[in-house]
């Protein structure tokens, strides 16, 4: 699948339940359903947005909430590319077994 073009319409991708929450607050949300190409582009934007929010979080529950949002976007991206999250997790485990994870805090500074 080719890279998605950036969205040209205003707005941002929101969770499916957000329009209902807005309606319950007595407001009238203006929404539409994105076509597949726009959806991929907006998921990419949302991935960057959620990663920035996770990075800026101050710790504790705030970090966990942002990581949960980030994970939801990853799940949606996997589904948009025809895979379920179990496939992503399988690939993550394989890479961790072959190359390790990031818990060792190893920083590479180059080769001699």
């Amino acid at each position: 699948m080719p890279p998605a073009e950036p969205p040209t319409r205003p707005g941002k991708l929101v969770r499916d339940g957000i329009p209902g929450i807005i309606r319950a607050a007595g407001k009238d949300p203006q929404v539409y359903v994105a076509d597949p190409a726009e959806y991929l582009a907006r998921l990419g934007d949302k991935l960057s947005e959620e990663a920035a929010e996770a990075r800026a979080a101050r710790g504790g529950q705030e970090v966990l909430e942002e990581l949960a949002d980030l994970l939801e976007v990853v799940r949606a991206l996997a589904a948009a590319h025809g895979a379920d999250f179990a496939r992503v997790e399988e690939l993550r485990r394989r890479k961790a077994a072959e190359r390790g994870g990031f818990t060792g805090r190893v920083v590479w500074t180059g080769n001699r």
Side-chain angles (χ1 to χ4, degrees), residues 2-83:
E5 293 294 319
T8 56
R9 294 175 72 171
K12 70 177 193 172
L13 188 66
V14 295
R15 288 176 177 265
D16 301 339
I18 296 299
I21 293 168
I22 294 170
R23 284 186 197 96
K27 297 181 180 167
D28 182 23
Q30 303 301 299
V31 299
Y32 67 93
V33 175
D35 66 40
E38 180 184 0
Y39 178 56
L40 282 176
R42 291 203 184 266
L43 278 172
D45 291 346
K46 184 60 76 170
L47 184 68
S48 297
E49 175 189 328
E50 296 300 346
E53 289 175 3
R55 190 170 185 179
R58 300 200 192 289
Q61 185 66 27
E62 184 181 357
V63 169
L64 297 178
E65 294 285 338
E66 296 304 338
L67 291 175
D69 290 344
L70 190 55
L71 187 55
E72 190 64 30
V73 175
V74 170
R75 287 177 174 272
L77 276 165
H81 287 282

Side-chain angles (χ1 to χ4, degrees), residues 77-92:
L77 276 165
H81 287 282
D84 63 8
F85 190 72
R87 177 71 177 129
V88 175
E89 177 61 14
E90 174 188 322
L91 291 168
R92 185 205 63 79

